[in-house]
């Protein structure tokens, strides 16, 4: 017996449930048979038979009413049910005997038909269970064996009796053949549908996988009210989490995170796109409301997740996409792909939620050669530096400038620095680019000094290069030639990856007289512990908070607390993104040291900066 047809408690449970569902058919059939055949047998025998059969059905129904398809029956329960089925089928088949006794040779024919029907029915309804098959067809088969007695007593020949017995046996063999063919078909179909089902599931969590999501969105109808948004939700520092709590608990954690999201969105289906990324879709009237929903999803993560004895803090980045942000020239970039890319865009912009930005994504086809083009552009004058002034809020004087890289591409026009700086970070081109920027910035600072303009020069220093020993040496050499104070603006994200080496490098820079500025404070992974541990001189408050100060009192509060935090730690405070007079005055009133932003000046080339500075000096003087 192969494993597939071996009876299990589950197989029998399924037969019980199927028989329960068919009880009306059996009882109805019994009534019809009794009414039709009582014309041959007389009412009393038919009535007695029908009563016994219906009672047997009722008893079976009551005894097994609690069994469900999932009930696992032990061996004893299985054998008991086998006996019940045999008894029930014995009773059914016994009507053939009643017919043979009461209706002469006509009754013998009817008996043969009844048993044949019972055998065929047994083959059809036994499902995957051999036991059920045997219980269904053995009773009528046994009854066939007593036919010769009736044939002979009614004057029939031994040959007729033998022929009927043989017909009965063939009937049984045929029934088994039908059963086994049906079973094979069923198994093939079940295997196919199971394979299809598994192909759509994430094996670890049991959540629908990326294929399932893509298939669903490919055929998703337009939402009646509003727009369908897809949110890709990536768990921060997932590898670190898995290392800390282990694989099994990480799977539990993912399931719990998915359950929380599902609750927020009225039991929406949450899927798993990749190891650390889940996905959910929802309908929102507009993008702002979608962003609010994303914020709700994020808020769900503020309560730690309890896993065994652990309580785990989880934070997420969310990328949103909608049908309308499709990139025209890239057809195979699905809405799910775009939501996933938006997560990366959120991470790069140090935001917790971002909508897919097609402009930022650019054109991947042409981006493939962007880095080699950048290397050439550094030499052929396409890449240059612009400088954005920083003003001292007490004296009103311009005391420093930030060097910002610019690339004027002959075909593409201006390439956004966020795009190629991030690419350079990812592809290992960042060190060469940074070295170029520093050298040019130092040379320009010398040129400014020669023109009588003394300013501190700030250069953006990607955290990724903090453990690049060669670049560090290069920077220390460059710094010796600087015509004034030199400052490195460092973003926080990368430092967290290599805290030890980063710290040593920063200590060396400071020892050499360079100023270290913590860039974009407030966005990304800011933590107080980080501020405590990083050797810095300046805290640069992210423009996201400064730009809205005039409109949002909460931002005023946050900026004020960042300023006082900086001062408490002995750091200078710098606000970037100052766009209006009101914000500038607020910053001055709260004691912020330096301000930078479009209100004071936009980033500009060196010659424009010289004019700007000379102009200011003339006006002041
Ligand atoms: P960042 O370091 O936060 O630089 C400030 C960005 O804010 C600059 O954008 C600047 O033009 C912009 N900005 C300044 N004032 C205002 C304002 O009042 N309102 C608004 N809305 N924006 C303002 P930019 O030049 O596009 O640079 C973007 C990012 O690219 C920089 O962000 C920095 O992370 C990176 N980056 C630029 N140049 C370099 C570089 O030489 N090296 C490295 N590693 N990164 C660079
Ligand atoms: Ca900066």
């Amino acid at each position: 017996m192969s494993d597939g047809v071996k009876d299990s408690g589950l197989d029998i449970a399924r037969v019980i449930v199927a028989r329960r569902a068919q009880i009306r058919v059996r009882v109805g059939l019994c009534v019809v048979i009794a009414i039709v055949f009582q014309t041959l047998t007389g009412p009393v025998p038919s009535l007695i038979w029908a009563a016994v059969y219906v009672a047997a059905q009722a008893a079976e129904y009551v005894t097994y009413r609690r069994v469900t398809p999932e009930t696992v029956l032990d061996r004893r329960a299985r054998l008991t049910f086998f006996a019940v089925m045999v008894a029930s089928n014995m009773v059914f088949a016994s009507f053939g005997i009643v017919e043979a006794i009461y209706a002469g040779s006509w009754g013998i024919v009817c008996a043969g038909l009844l048993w044949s029907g019972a055998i065929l029915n047994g083959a059809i309804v036994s499902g995957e269970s051999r036991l059920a098959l045997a219980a269904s067809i053995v009773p009528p088969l046994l009854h066939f064996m007593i036919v010769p007695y009736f044939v002979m007593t009614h004057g029939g020949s031994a040959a007729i009796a033998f022929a009927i017995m043989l017909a009965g046996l063939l009937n049984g063999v045929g029934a088994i053949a039908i059963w086994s063919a049906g079973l094979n078909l069923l198994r093939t179909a079940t295997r196919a549908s199971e394979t299809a089902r598994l192909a759509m599931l994430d094996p670890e969590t049991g959540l629908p996988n990326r294929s399932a999501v893509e298939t669903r969105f490919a055929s998703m109808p337009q939402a009646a009210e509003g727009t369908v948004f897809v949110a890709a939700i990536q768990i921060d520092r997932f590898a670190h989490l898995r290392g800390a709590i282990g694989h099994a608990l990480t799977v539990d954690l993912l399931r719990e995170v998915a359950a929380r999201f599902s609750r927020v969105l009225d039991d929406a289906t949450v899927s798993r796109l990749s190891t650390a990324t889940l996905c959910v879709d929802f309908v929102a009237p507009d993008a702002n409301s979608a962003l609010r929903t994303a914020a709700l999803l994020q808020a769900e993560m503020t309560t730690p997740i309890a896993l065994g004895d652990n309580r785990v803090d989880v934070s997420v980045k969310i990328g949103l996409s909608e049908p309308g942000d499709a990139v025209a020239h890239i057809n195979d970039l699905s809405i799910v792909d775009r939501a996933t890319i938006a997560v990366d865009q959120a991470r790069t912009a140090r935001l917790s939620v971002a909508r897919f930005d097609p402009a930022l994504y650019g054109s991947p086809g042409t981006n493939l050669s962007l880095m080699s083009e950048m290397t050439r552009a550094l030499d052929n004058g396409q890449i240059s530096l612009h400088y954005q002034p920083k003003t001292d809020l007490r004296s009103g004087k311009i005391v420093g400038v930030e060097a910002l890289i610019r690339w004027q591409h002959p075909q593409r026009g201006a390439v956004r620095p966020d795009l190629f700086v991030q690419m350079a970070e990812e592809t290992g081109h960042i060190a060469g680019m940074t070295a170029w920027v520093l050298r040019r910035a130092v040379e320009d600072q010398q040129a400014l000094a020669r023109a009588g303009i003394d300013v501190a020069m700030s250069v953006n220093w990607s955290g990724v290069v903090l453990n690049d020993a060669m670049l560090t040496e290069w920077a220390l050499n460059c710094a010796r030639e600087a015509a004034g104070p030199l400052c490195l603006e460092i973003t926080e994200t990368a430092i967290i990856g290599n805290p030890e080496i980063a710290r040593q490098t920063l200590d060396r820079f400071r020892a050499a007289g360079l100023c270290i500025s913590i860039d974009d404070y407030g966005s990304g992974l800011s933590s107080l512990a980080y501020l405590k541990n990083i050797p810095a001189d300046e805290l640069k408050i992210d423009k996201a908070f400064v730009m809205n100060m005039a409109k949002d009192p909460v931002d005023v509060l946050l900026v004020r607390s960042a300023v006082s935090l900086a001062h408490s730690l002995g750091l200078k405070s710098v606000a970037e993104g100052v766009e209006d007079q009101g914000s500038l005055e607020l910053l001055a009133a709260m004691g912020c040291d330096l301000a930078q932003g479009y209100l004071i000046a936009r980033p500009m080339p060196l010659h424009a900066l010289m004019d700007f500075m000379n102009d200011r000096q003339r006006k002041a003087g």
Side-chain angles (χ1 to χ4, degrees), residues 270-287:
V270 179
S271 326
R272 189 180 186 192
L273 293 182
S274 61
T275 322
T277 311
L278 300 174
C279 169
V280 69
D281 62 284
F282 57 89
V283 175
D286 53 40

Side-chain angles (χ1 to χ4, degrees), residues 388 402 405-406 417 433 460 519-520 543 577 579 597-598 603:
Q388 188 176 30
E402 176 180 4
I405 196 161
R406 294 291 177 263
M433 190 199 96
N460 286 289
D519 206 358
D520 302 315
K543 59 177 176 291
E579 293 188 347
Y598 292 171

Side-chain angles (χ1 to χ4, degrees), residues 333-468:
L333 195 65
S334 71
I335 190 166
V336 181
D337 293 331
R338 300 197 299 274
T340 323
I341 293 165
V343 174
D344 291 337
Q345 294 180 336
R347 222 170 261 292
T348 310
R350 291 184 286 278
L351 296 168
S352 47
V353 181
R355 290 171 63 204
F356 173 70
D357 182 345
L360 196 56
Y361 182 62
S363 167
T366 46
N367 285 350
L368 290 177
S369 59
L370 201 62
M371 285 299 102
S372 53
E373 286 182 56
M374 186 190 80
T375 315
R376 284 196 297 278
L378 289 172
D379 298 329
N380 66 16
Q382 285 173 21
I383 289 185
S384 63
L385 290 185
H386 279 199
Y387 296 97
Q388 188 176 30
K390 294 181 185 176
T391 185
D392 184 312
L393 281 168
R394 268 173 285 276
S395 67
K397 288 202 174 110
I398 304 293
V399 290
V401 293
E402 176 180 4
L404 292 160
I405 196 161
R406 294 291 177 263
W407 181 0
Q408 192 61 34
H409 193 282
Q411 280 86 40
R412 292 157 158 252
V415 188
R416 291 174 59 159
D418 326 50
L419 174 74
F420 67 89
V421 168
Q422 192 203 348
M423 258 189 141
E425 283 178 351
E426 287 167 1
T427 54
H429 289 82
I430 188 71
M433 190 199 96
T434 308
W436 183 94
V437 171
L438 181 64
R439 160 109 339 247
R440 175 57 56 86
V442 166
E443 285 168 6
D444 287 352
Q445 192 188 30
Q446 289 165 349
L448 286 163
R450 283 196 296 275
I453 302 164
D454 293 318
V455 282
M457 176 62 71
S458 292
V459 169
N460 286 289
W461 208 258
S462 162
V464 176
V465 293
L466 276 178
N467 56 350
D468 185 322

